[in-house]
Structures are given as structure tokens and as C-alpha cells.
Amino acid sequence: VTCGNCPVVLVTWIPCTTAEVLDCKMNREIRKRENQRRAGDRGQWASKTEYVLVVAGTMVGLGNVWRFPYLCYKNGGGAFLVPYCLLAVVCGIPLFLLETSVGQYTQEGFITCWRKLCPLAQGIGYGYLIINLYAFSYILVQAWALFYLVFSFRSQLPWASCNNTWNTGKLKLRLVFCFIAPPLRRRVLVVSGGIEELGSVRWELALCLLACWVFCYFSIWKGVRSSGKVTYVTAPFPYVMLLILLIRGLTLPGAWEGIYFYLYPDLNQLTNLEVWIEAASQIFYSYNVAVGTLHVLGSYCDYTNNCYKDCYWLCLLNSGTSFVAGFVVFSVLGFMAQKQGVNVDNVAESGPGLAFITYPQATALMPLPQLWTACFFLMLIMLGFVSVEGVITSVGDLFPKLFRTPVRHEIFVLFICSFFFLIHLILVTEGGIYVFQLIDYYSCTRACQDFMAVCQCLAMGADNFSNIIKDMTGQRPSVFFKLCWKYIIPPLMMVTNVMPIVTQRQHYFMGCPSVNDWYIYPDWAYALGWAMTLSSVLMVPLWAAGQMCLASGTFREVSVQRRRVLDHVS
């Protein structure tokens, strides 16, 4: 049973004596001093404001701007908010609290935090490491945005006219076709015939990619001392741009027609299981849970920080930004549909198509198009800022003597940035978009995040998570969180994993979207994609099995040792 005065797990019903209560308080002070000492070695946020800005900038990303509005429109408009809000309450907020509290309690990255809490579950951290290495490829989106930003300062926007060297006569037949293929596919990407034909490097994009990695390096080369300061610009800027674009969008003719398409409720969609699965996927994608980032950001907080209160406000900020971004996007889409004399659903797209085709086309039809285009792509650059800090921190915590010293830390960050810049040159070749879409579709799938979420909840148990939060904040979280961690999230994630396999088997296993409607990936590409998916997921059982086999003693003795570790944590 748990004593009412302290989080120590007792084996009898005998209440804690005064000496035991004092011993519990003394242990808490010892843990606090130890964490303060570690914070001096690895750094800490200079203020609570830095932490809030960093987390807000991390959570509010591309998924809010180009994914949520389209999903909301596609899956029932205002009716989509019902499953979205419900799943945010039962999955998003509890997982956010779990991950930030684990990082704050252990003061470790997403690998070594599990070594302290549950050594058998350290495979979760290595799985996160692989997922984050794949996620570095999203810096390509930032390079695209930078490329578009440079061209936004021309007197004549390239995508506002068909009189360009890359336009063909066929594409001049209709205005709408003028915008779709040439800017992104012909001028920017120069797409080849398939993943088998990588072709040459697009050096304009390579220079943009280099600029993005240089910016990334100087943002994190000093650890949290530099990345915390950078977020004073990178975090608020997208909100300012969203506000400016929102005001401009709402004043455009046809804007309210677009907003009507965005929010008109189709209640029949609530009976569609796919809508609920899409809502769960969006929660994971935008809340940035089950990828390890929140563990790292929480590890730089003060030990007594009230992570319980923070999770409510930060999650509310994230969902609110997604909702407002829908007004920004669909007000402009409504204006563009009215200009072209078509319905909004004919111009609504998701993903890169929205950001690099539809939205530039819409801004080109406005007065002062250069201004609004530059604002939009500056916002995308800030939203798409790649944070390598999670990997740097976690590997540094794994080998503190090797990478914690000042000069070695800067060299290690330089090596990571340089190495991945060279690797990502593949993505800026003529066939690089095929490689990028393969990584995007398979590297961090819904299955990966669902599996990691279940493993996190089961690794220590809801009671132990509740105990460590009370130890840090002095306030035990609501029973609702324990119910979510123990009874709601694990079965719910299993259902969302199994249903797509049952209902869409062919699409699930061989369904990577293509740049062209006619292109089908070769079988070896699908095999490579599934290898990427399994490379992170299999780390959890393989690590646990390896520890059980290599540890001395019988399985029963190893199990008893694990329980002692958990009791020590409590």
C-alpha cells in the first residue's frame, strides 16, 4: 500500500512513523540536490519563459498549419472537433504530462531516463533515437520554404505567370494548371521518373539546405544556453504571422465561404471509424508525443517545476493554434475559389500541396503579393525548424564524459549537422522527393507512435508515474490520469493499430503516396519502408529480451531486481 504521507511503497498496512516520514523528506531533498548538481553539468532553462516558448514552438508545427485544417474539412468539419477534443483529453494531455514529468524527474534524455526508471524499457529510448534520426529529413521542408522565400522578393512572382522557361504549352491552357505542376515539380524539384532515377543534385536547393543546417547548428551549438535564446524569436514569430494572415484572410472576398466549408458539421462522419483514427493520429502528430522530444525538454526544467499545471496550458495552446490556423488557410482558399469560379473543395489540399502550391497561388492573386508570400514562408521556416537538441542531449547523457565537455560538445554538434547535411543531399536530387515521401510515410508511422505510447504507460505503472509527479510538485495528479495511463490509452492504441490493417490491408502495407498519379514504388522500396518502421519498434522487445538473457540470475531474480528499482524511484 502507499502511505498517505510519502510516495514510499510499503509492504504492510502499518502507518509510517515519524522517523520514516522524515527519512522520506530527506530522500526527496537528496534527490533535489543531486538533480541541481546534474543541472549545473548539463545546463538548465534560464527561466520558465524559455521552457514555455521552446515547448510551444516544438508542439505548434507544420501539422497545425497544413494538416489539421484539411483533416477538419475532410472529416466532417465542425463534427471533427468532437473526436479531436475527446482524444486530446484522454490521450494527448495524459501522455504529454507523462513524458514531461519523466524527463523532469530523471533530468535525463529520452534514453538514459529509462535506465533510471525501468532498465528493461531502455529500448523505448533507442527506438526514439531512431525515429528522431529519420525526422531530421523534415529540414527539407524548411529548405523548400527558404527557396520560395528568396523568389518571393521578385517583382513578378514566378508562380503568378505561365511565361516561364519551365512551363509547357499544355499547362498554359488553364490558369489553375499553371500553378500546380511548374513551381514545385518543374522549377524546384525537377522530378525524375522514379526512386530508381535519383539524377543530379539540385544545387539551388542544396544551398538552401546548407543554410538551414548552418542556422540549426548555431541555434544549438551551446546547448540550452543558445537554443533557449533562439526561441525568443522562432516561437512567437509564427503566432504573429498567423495573426497578420488571419486578419488579411478574413477581409478577402469569398473568405467566409471558405470558412463555411471548413466548419460546416457533417454529423454522419462521427460514425466513421476512420475519422476517429485520423483524429488520434493528429493528436500524436501535433502534440509531439511518443517521439521523445518532450522527455528532453522537460529534463532541463527545475526539479520542482509544476509540470502538472504546464501540461494543461500548453496543450490548450496547441489545439487553439490548430483551430485558428484553419481560419487562416480556408479564408484564403475561399478567396481563391471565388476568383477562379470553382468550389472550395476543388482547391483544398493537404500537406506540401497546400503550402507550396495552393497558398502561393492564392497570395499571388492578392494586392502586394510579395508581402503576403514572404510572411507565409517566413512562418513556415520558423514552424519547420528542425530541433536536433533531443538527439544531442540524449547521446550526451549516454556518454557524458565523452560529449559533456565544452569543446567536445561543439565538435559533436558540428559533426551531426555536417553528416546529416551530406546524407540529405540525396533528398535534393531529381528523385529525392520519392525518397522523402518514403521516409515520411514509413519512418514515424501511426503504428510506431501507438506502440511507443503503450510501452511507456506499461513500463512503470500508473501508480509510480503518479508518485513521481507528487514528489516533484507536491500535488498528486487526478485519478483520471491514472485511469488513462492504465485502462484507456493501451487498449485504445491497440485498436487504432489493428483497424487499419483489417479494413485497408492493401493500402496499409503498400500504400505510400507518390508524387505522380501513375508511379508505383518498386517492391524493394516498400521493403525498405517497412524496415524503417520496424527498426524503431523492434528496439523495445529486443532490448528487453537481451537484458533478460544477459543479466545474471534467473528470470524471477531479474523480475525482483526490477521491482526494487521501481520501489527506489517511488
Side-chain angles (χ1 to χ4, degrees), residues 418-431:
S418 302
F419 177 77
F420 277 96
F421 164 70
L422 296 176
I423 292 295
H424 288 163
L425 286 177
I426 297 174
L427 301 179
V428 294
T429 58
E430 294 172 359

PDB file of all heavy atoms in Angstrom, residues 418-431:
ATOM      1  N   SER A 418      26.908  18.325 -39.978  1.00  0.00           N
ATOM      2  CA  SER A 418      27.615  18.130 -41.246  1.00  0.00           C
ATOM      3  C   SER A 418      27.279  16.773 -41.847  1.00  0.00           C
ATOM      4  O   SER A 418      27.050  16.658 -43.071  1.00  0.00           O
ATOM      5  CB  SER A 418      29.128  18.237 -41.024  1.00  0.00           C
ATOM      6  OG  SER A 418      29.472  19.473 -40.463  1.00  0.00           O
ATOM      7  N   PHE A 419      27.242  15.744 -41.027  1.00  0.00           N
ATOM      8  CA  PHE A 419      26.972  14.396 -41.518  1.00  0.00           C
ATOM      9  C   PHE A 419      25.585  14.307 -42.143  1.00  0.00           C
ATOM     10  O   PHE A 419      25.426  13.772 -43.252  1.00  0.00           O
ATOM     11  CB  PHE A 419      27.106  13.398 -40.368  1.00  0.00           C
ATOM     12  CG  PHE A 419      26.770  11.979 -40.748  1.00  0.00           C
ATOM     13  CD1 PHE A 419      27.669  11.213 -41.472  1.00  0.00           C
ATOM     14  CD2 PHE A 419      25.551  11.424 -40.379  1.00  0.00           C
ATOM     15  CE1 PHE A 419      27.357   9.901 -41.826  1.00  0.00           C
ATOM     16  CE2 PHE A 419      25.237  10.125 -40.736  1.00  0.00           C
ATOM     17  CZ  PHE A 419      26.143   9.361 -41.458  1.00  0.00           C
ATOM     18  N   PHE A 420      24.605  14.860 -41.470  1.00  0.00           N
ATOM     19  CA  PHE A 420      23.249  14.748 -41.998  1.00  0.00           C
ATOM     20  C   PHE A 420      23.016  15.694 -43.168  1.00  0.00           C
ATOM     21  O   PHE A 420      22.161  15.423 -44.018  1.00  0.00           O
ATOM     22  CB  PHE A 420      22.225  14.977 -40.890  1.00  0.00           C
ATOM     23  CG  PHE A 420      21.973  13.740 -40.078  1.00  0.00           C
ATOM     24  CD1 PHE A 420      22.656  13.528 -38.885  1.00  0.00           C
ATOM     25  CD2 PHE A 420      21.086  12.772 -40.509  1.00  0.00           C
ATOM     26  CE1 PHE A 420      22.453  12.385 -38.145  1.00  0.00           C
ATOM     27  CE2 PHE A 420      20.870  11.632 -39.778  1.00  0.00           C
ATOM     28  CZ  PHE A 420      21.560  11.425 -38.596  1.00  0.00           C
ATOM     29  N   PHE A 421      23.760  16.782 -43.243  1.00  0.00           N
ATOM     30  CA  PHE A 421      23.672  17.597 -44.458  1.00  0.00           C
ATOM     31  C   PHE A 421      24.127  16.800 -45.674  1.00  0.00           C
ATOM     32  O   PHE A 421      23.477  16.817 -46.734  1.00  0.00           O
ATOM     33  CB  PHE A 421      24.519  18.861 -44.316  1.00  0.00           C
ATOM     34  CG  PHE A 421      24.784  19.553 -45.628  1.00  0.00           C
ATOM     35  CD1 PHE A 421      23.758  20.202 -46.303  1.00  0.00           C
ATOM     36  CD2 PHE A 421      26.055  19.520 -46.207  1.00  0.00           C
ATOM     37  CE1 PHE A 421      23.995  20.826 -47.529  1.00  0.00           C
ATOM     38  CE2 PHE A 421      26.294  20.132 -47.425  1.00  0.00           C
ATOM     39  CZ  PHE A 421      25.262  20.788 -48.084  1.00  0.00           C
ATOM     40  N   LEU A 422      25.227  16.076 -45.528  1.00  0.00           N
ATOM     41  CA  LEU A 422      25.725  15.257 -46.642  1.00  0.00           C
ATOM     42  C   LEU A 422      24.749  14.140 -46.981  1.00  0.00           C
ATOM     43  O   LEU A 422      24.509  13.845 -48.163  1.00  0.00           O
ATOM     44  CB  LEU A 422      27.101  14.685 -46.290  1.00  0.00           C
ATOM     45  CG  LEU A 422      28.226  15.715 -46.099  1.00  0.00           C
ATOM     46  CD1 LEU A 422      29.509  15.036 -45.653  1.00  0.00           C
ATOM     47  CD2 LEU A 422      28.457  16.496 -47.387  1.00  0.00           C
ATOM     48  N   ILE A 423      24.175  13.516 -45.966  1.00  0.00           N
ATOM     49  CA  ILE A 423      23.198  12.451 -46.211  1.00  0.00           C
ATOM     50  C   ILE A 423      21.964  13.011 -46.930  1.00  0.00           C
ATOM     51  O   ILE A 423      21.432  12.404 -47.868  1.00  0.00           O
ATOM     52  CB  ILE A 423      22.784  11.783 -44.889  1.00  0.00           C
ATOM     53  CG1 ILE A 423      23.957  10.996 -44.291  1.00  0.00           C
ATOM     54  CG2 ILE A 423      21.592  10.843 -45.101  1.00  0.00           C
ATOM     55  CD1 ILE A 423      24.415   9.818 -45.108  1.00  0.00           C
ATOM     56  N   HIS A 424      21.526  14.183 -46.513  1.00  0.00           N
ATOM     57  CA  HIS A 424      20.294  14.759 -47.059  1.00  0.00           C
ATOM     58  C   HIS A 424      20.465  15.349 -48.457  1.00  0.00           C
ATOM     59  O   HIS A 424      19.478  15.784 -49.052  1.00  0.00           O
ATOM     60  CB  HIS A 424      19.761  15.827 -46.105  1.00  0.00           C
ATOM     61  CG  HIS A 424      19.194  15.256 -44.855  1.00  0.00           C
ATOM     62  ND1 HIS A 424      18.978  16.014 -43.722  1.00  0.00           N
ATOM     63  CD2 HIS A 424      18.803  13.997 -44.538  1.00  0.00           C
ATOM     64  CE1 HIS A 424      18.481  15.250 -42.774  1.00  0.00           C
ATOM     65  NE2 HIS A 424      18.372  14.020 -43.250  1.00  0.00           N
ATOM     66  N   LEU A 425      21.689  15.352 -48.976  1.00  0.00           N
ATOM     67  CA  LEU A 425      21.859  15.755 -50.373  1.00  0.00           C
ATOM     68  C   LEU A 425      21.109  14.810 -51.305  1.00  0.00           C
ATOM     69  O   LEU A 425      20.729  15.191 -52.412  1.00  0.00           O
ATOM     70  CB  LEU A 425      23.348  15.787 -50.737  1.00  0.00           C
ATOM     71  CG  LEU A 425      24.164  16.960 -50.165  1.00  0.00           C
ATOM     72  CD1 LEU A 425      25.629  16.824 -50.534  1.00  0.00           C
ATOM     73  CD2 LEU A 425      23.605  18.301 -50.655  1.00  0.00           C
ATOM     74  N   ILE A 426      20.882  13.577 -50.844  1.00  0.00           N
ATOM     75  CA  ILE A 426      20.070  12.641 -51.632  1.00  0.00           C
ATOM     76  C   ILE A 426      18.663  13.202 -51.823  1.00  0.00           C
ATOM     77  O   ILE A 426      18.048  13.021 -52.878  1.00  0.00           O
ATOM     78  CB  ILE A 426      20.003  11.265 -50.930  1.00  0.00           C
ATOM     79  CG1 ILE A 426      21.407  10.653 -50.833  1.00  0.00           C
ATOM     80  CG2 ILE A 426      19.053  10.319 -51.644  1.00  0.00           C
ATOM     81  CD1 ILE A 426      21.449   9.369 -50.040  1.00  0.00           C
ATOM     82  N   LEU A 427      18.156  13.919 -50.822  1.00  0.00           N
ATOM     83  CA  LEU A 427      16.784  14.422 -50.875  1.00  0.00           C
ATOM     84  C   LEU A 427      16.625  15.599 -51.831  1.00  0.00           C
ATOM     85  O   LEU A 427      15.491  15.936 -52.191  1.00  0.00           O
ATOM     86  CB  LEU A 427      16.327  14.841 -49.472  1.00  0.00           C
ATOM     87  CG  LEU A 427      16.363  13.747 -48.400  1.00  0.00           C
ATOM     88  CD1 LEU A 427      15.908  14.315 -47.064  1.00  0.00           C
ATOM     89  CD2 LEU A 427      15.499  12.559 -48.792  1.00  0.00           C
ATOM     90  N   VAL A 428      17.721  16.244 -52.215  1.00  0.00           N
ATOM     91  CA  VAL A 428      17.616  17.379 -53.134  1.00  0.00           C
ATOM     92  C   VAL A 428      18.083  16.997 -54.537  1.00  0.00           C
ATOM     93  O   VAL A 428      18.403  17.864 -55.344  1.00  0.00           O
ATOM     94  CB  VAL A 428      18.412  18.598 -52.612  1.00  0.00           C
ATOM     95  CG1 VAL A 428      17.794  19.134 -51.353  1.00  0.00           C
ATOM     96  CG2 VAL A 428      19.884  18.257 -52.386  1.00  0.00           C
ATOM     97  N   THR A 429      18.114  15.699 -54.818  1.00  0.00           N
ATOM     98  CA  THR A 429      18.335  15.248 -56.184  1.00  0.00           C
ATOM     99  C   THR A 429      17.000  15.246 -56.922  1.00  0.00           C
ATOM    100  O   THR A 429      15.943  15.505 -56.339  1.00  0.00           O
ATOM    101  CB  THR A 429      18.937  13.835 -56.204  1.00  0.00           C
ATOM    102  OG1 THR A 429      18.051  12.930 -55.525  1.00  0.00           O
ATOM    103  CG2 THR A 429      20.295  13.810 -55.520  1.00  0.00           C
ATOM    104  N   GLU A 430      17.036  14.930 -58.211  1.00  0.00           N
ATOM    105  CA  GLU A 430      15.814  14.927 -59.010  1.00  0.00           C
ATOM    106  C   GLU A 430      14.843  13.838 -58.567  1.00  0.00           C
ATOM    107  O   GLU A 430      13.634  13.964 -58.747  1.00  0.00           O
ATOM    108  CB  GLU A 430      16.175  14.762 -60.494  1.00  0.00           C
ATOM    109  CG  GLU A 430      16.951  15.953 -61.039  1.00  0.00           C
ATOM    110  CD  GLU A 430      17.477  15.708 -62.440  1.00  0.00           C
ATOM    111  OE1 GLU A 430      17.245  14.603 -62.970  1.00  0.00           O
ATOM    112  OE2 GLU A 430      18.120  16.607 -63.006  1.00  0.00           O
ATOM    113  N   GLY A 431      15.370  12.765 -57.987  1.00  0.00           N
ATOM    114  CA  GLY A 431      14.494  11.706 -57.462  1.00  0.00           C
ATOM    115  C   GLY A 431      14.374  11.745 -55.954  1.00  0.00           C
ATOM    116  O   GLY A 431      13.814  10.824 -55.344  1.00  0.00           O
TER     117      GLY A 431
END
